[in-house]
Amino acid sequence: MKTGEDKMKNDGKSGNTSRIVGSLVAGAAVGLAAGILLAPEKGKKTRAKLMDDAKDLTNKLKDKANDFKDKASNFKDQASDHIEEKANEIKDKANDLKDKASDGIDAVTANLKSS
C-alpha cells in the first residue's frame, strides 16, 4: 500500500515525464513546421497546412495543460487529506496526554487529601 510520501515521490516523477513529453511535442512541431516550409508546394497550401498543424498542436497543448491541472488538483487534494489526517492524529494524542495528566493530578490530589 502506498503512503502519502510515496504518492508525492511518484508525482515528482510524473512531472519529469510531462516535461519530457512536452519537449518532444515541441520538437516535433518545430520539425514539422520546418518540413512544411521546405516542402515544394504552393504558398497557399503550405499556409493552410501550417494553420491546420498549429490548430492540432494547440489542441494537444490544451489537453496537456488540462491533464497537468487535473494532476495538480489531485495532488493538492491528497496533500490536504494527508495533512488533515496527521493533524487529527496529533490532536488525539494531545487529548490522550491531557487526560492522563489530569488523571495523574487527580490521583496526587486524592493522595494528599487522604494523608
Side-chain angles (χ1 to χ4, degrees):
M1 183 173 201
K2 289 186 176 184
T3 64
E5 189 173 314
D6 292 335
K7 289 178 186 174
M8 286 184 216
K9 287 179 184 176
N10 287 339
D11 285 339
K13 290 178 185 175
S14 65
N16 289 336
T17 304
S18 296
R19 279 186 235 138
I20 291 169
V21 169
S23 297
L24 289 174
V25 169
V30 169
L32 182 63
I36 291 172
L37 289 172
L38 297 174
E41 288 186 10
K42 289 188 175 191
K44 191 173 187 177
K45 283 186 180 180
T46 301
R47 286 190 298 275
K49 247 187 199 181
L50 280 174
M51 288 303 293
D52 289 343
D53 290 341
K55 287 177 186 176
D56 289 344
L57 181 60
T58 300
N59 289 333
K60 287 178 183 178
L61 290 175
K62 284 180 184 177
D63 290 343
K64 289 288 181 191
N66 287 332
D67 289 346
F68 177 77
K69 181 180 170 185
D70 291 342
K71 286 181 181 180
S73 178
N74 287 339
F75 177 77
K76 178 187 154 237
D77 292 343
Q78 289 175 352
S80 293
D81 291 345
H82 184 70
I83 290 169
E84 184 178 346
E85 181 182 311
K86 291 299 177 184
N88 286 334
E89 287 176 16
I90 291 169
K91 184 178 175 182
D92 291 343
K93 287 180 182 180
N95 284 332
D96 288 346
L97 287 173
K98 178 182 150 192
D99 292 342
K100 287 179 183 178
S102 180
D103 291 345
I105 291 171
D106 290 344
V108 169
T109 304
N111 269 344
L112 290 174
K113 286 182 182 178
S114 66
S115 298

